[in-house]
Amino acid sequence: MYRILLSVEDEREYQKLGGWIHEECKESCKLVEHENDLHIAIIEVNKWHDWVKIHRFRKRNKGCRIIPLLDPSLLHTSPLAIEFKLTYLLVKSVKQRVFLRTLKRAIDEIETEINRFTESDELFHSIVADSGVGGNTLPFKEAFLRRLLSGDVQTEEELLQSRFFLPGEAFSNVVLFIQGFVRCPAKRREEGWQASIVIQDSFKKQFEGQQLTFLSYRKHLLMLLQLQTEYGSMKHWKEGEASILETIESLETEYGIQLYIGVGSVYREPLLLHHSYKEACKARRTSPYERLQLRYFEEITNDVQITKCTEYISRFCTEDLSIKQVADQINLSVPYFSRIFKQETGRNFVEYVTFVRMQRAVWLLRHTDHTIEAIAEELGYNTPNYFSGTFKKYVGLSPRDYRATEEVIFV
């Protein structure tokens, strides 16, 4: 007789699922209310923290087949079932035939694979059990941080619950947004290294002793740092800034990896850290005040009138923009506008417009098959040669050479 635990809070749902089990499997299955000698557990997942409960349950009941019953609003957390090596997953409101088919598959697995646990698997469970309260908590940590940075974590209770899988760690308070490309993809393939791994290893080496956390997305990498209270901004931590710049330089020299990094503001309140993520992303895509490869959100102007002008430039950068045309948008004289524009952006008008055009050129070269001549014309350049010369001045490579580079993919 197989002992089944049905951990479902809603009474109607419990009665429905329990009735199906009784009707179809009463000869072989028995519903129980305790965790003693369980064979199968059907556990409801109504909130994100329920995955933590499943993790703990699995540690207490190693031989038990666990079937999560997932609320549709939490479908984005379903990869955790794979991380926990769970074979099954049901989504509410599950149909009877799907529920019973899944249950019978679990029973068949128990019957036919009773000896499937090898010594190595037993050793794995032993190591996890002996490694501390959290065991392998990396999936929890990454999933929680992704939710935190997307703004989905909104209560102090969730922060407290996170201590289960972030034991002894201080919350990061600043986010760095990293993108890049490899100058010579053929050389990378020949030498057999992965850019994403090399980048992370280089930062770990430079920041040895510091608490670093990396989150990989397809076309960008996030590096989370914990800045000491004496620094109100990443800019103020000169040692850290020097380490970042040294990493950028060494990656370019040794591997031909060109990095571009945006840095958000420092947020001491963890629930606000998602703002640092958004700011770092914006800093990465904004004209640099000082240097191209490392940009700070604090350097972006918050002057309403200048912001209106930069937005206007972004919309009409392919046209023949004059400084008077832009100054007229905020009713300022050209001399006064020119002075405050450079003061707020760190670039004179012509340099800023050129940079915005080069950003557009980079996107077109990477994501379209337009010819260089067509791109030059689209961006308002009379000749391809002048466009190519300007592009190389700002990017460090000719348009043709840039198109031959390889964008770093982090996952």
Side-chain angles (χ1 to χ4, degrees), residues 234-235 238 241-242 244-246 248 259-263 283-284 286-296 299 345-347 355 394:
M234 189 72 191
K235 286 186 68 176
K238 294 305 179 183
E241 181 181 73
I244 293 173
L245 293 174
E246 188 173 338
I248 291 173
L259 286 190
Y260 299 94
I261 302 176
V263 185
R284 160 68 186 94
T286 301
S287 173
Y289 191 91
E290 183 178 353
R291 57 175 70 86
L292 181 63
Q293 292 176 297
L294 182 61
R295 315 176 204 178
Y296 296 95
E299 295 173 343
T345 66
R347 295 285 180 269
F355 179 84
Y394 277 78

Side-chain angles (χ1 to χ4, degrees), residues 264-279:
S265 303
V266 174
Y267 287 88
R268 304 295 177 186
E269 169 54 59
L271 291 177
L272 300 178
L273 191 62
H274 63 282
H275 293 304
S276 188
Y277 177 19
K278 293 177 182 177
E279 292 170 357

Side-chain angles (χ1 to χ4, degrees), residues 8 75 203 317 347 389 393:
V8 177
L75 274 174
F203 277 111
C317 67
R347 295 285 180 269
K393 176 183 175 182

Side-chain angles (χ1 to χ4, degrees), residues 370-407:
H370 298 174
T371 64
I372 293 173
E373 290 76 11
I375 292 174
E377 183 178 355
E378 182 175 341
L379 295 174
Y381 289 90
N382 295 326
T383 65
N385 286 341
Y386 181 57
F387 163 70
S388 296
T390 304
F391 187 92
K392 187 171 184 177
K393 176 183 175 182
Y394 277 78
V395 181
L397 296 170
S398 70
R400 195 175 306 279
D401 289 340
Y402 178 80
R403 183 165 257 172
T405 65
E406 176 183 73
E407 186 175 14

Side-chain angles (χ1 to χ4, degrees), residues 111-174:
E111 291 178 345
T112 59
E113 299 180 19
I114 193 68
N115 297 318
R116 74 182 182 87
F117 291 109
T118 62
E119 291 182 4
S120 62
D121 193 55
E122 291 174 353
L123 177 61
F124 168 79
H125 285 303
S126 174
I127 292 172
V128 171
D130 294 338
S131 62
V133 177
N136 179 21
T137 59
L138 182 60
F140 287 117
K141 178 179 177 179
E142 290 195 355
F144 172 78
L145 289 175
R146 290 179 193 278
R147 291 185 64 243
L148 184 67
L149 294 179
S150 66
D152 288 343
V153 178
Q154 298 179 352
T155 66
E156 295 289 343
E157 180 185 1
E158 289 180 275
L159 291 178
L160 291 173
Q161 291 170 348
S162 72
R163 304 319 298 174
F164 166 73
F165 44 85
L166 295 172
E169 292 192 26
F171 275 108
S172 303
N173 51 34
V174 64

